[in-house]
Amino acid sequence: MYCTKCGSMFDDRQPCCPFCKAPNPAVQPKTQFHGQVPPPYFYNNVPPYYFDPSVQPPETALVVLSAIIPIAGLIIGLICLGNNEKRAGRAYLIAAAISFGVSLLLCVLFVVIPLLFVVMMS
């Protein structure tokens, strides 16, 4: 079928021309649409779910990776905070901070203190 307004070819079953939006006289619309958007469907007066990335839970594997490799947790956490994934980003940063703190504490306990002990004894 050819459009009567712009002359482009389109399928007979389409309700309007995809290029100029002229209505197809061969197809009768099931309902009249006057340009107003119908209200969203509410089931039991509950609005539909909208995706909010700031409340998405963190991925367990990435939290474990953040705990094992603190620099990876720092990078992933900053990326998530940049993408407005606040909850996940904070979890990755906290896991990285705890891992870094434990690594620092172990380094002090098993490297610095024995070295000080050796220096004081000599």
Side-chain angles (χ1 to χ4, degrees), residues 52-71:
D52 185 10
S54 65
V55 295
Q56 292 301 311
E59 297 288 331
T60 305
L62 291 178
V63 172
V64 171
L65 179 69
S66 300
I68 295 172
I69 307 170
I71 191 71

Side-chain angles (χ1 to χ4, degrees), residues 1-3 8-18 22-29:
M1 169 173 209
Y2 291 96
C3 177
S8 61
M9 191 169 101
F10 64 96
D11 189 14
D12 293 346
R13 297 169 290 183
Q14 289 182 324
C16 64
C17 174
N24 184 356
V27 176
Q28 294 294 328

Side-chain angles (χ1 to χ4, degrees), residues 12-89:
D12 293 346
R13 297 169 290 183
Q14 289 182 324
C16 64
C17 174
F19 301 103
C20 68
K21 306 297 185 223
N24 184 356
V27 176
Q28 294 294 328
K30 294 177 183 172
T31 60
Q32 291 292 330
F33 182 70
H34 299 289
Q36 296 176 345
V37 177
Y41 176 72
F42 290 101
Y43 182 73
N44 291 336
N45 293 326
V46 176
Y49 175 74
Y50 295 102
F51 179 73
D52 185 10
S54 65
V55 295
Q56 292 301 311
E59 297 288 331
T60 305
L62 291 178
V63 172
V64 171
L65 179 69
S66 300
I68 295 172
I69 307 170
I71 191 71
L74 178 69
I75 293 169
I76 295 168
L78 291 176
I79 290 171
C80 287
L81 289 177
N83 291 338
N84 198 24
E85 298 175 11
K86 295 176 185 173
R87 183 176 173 190

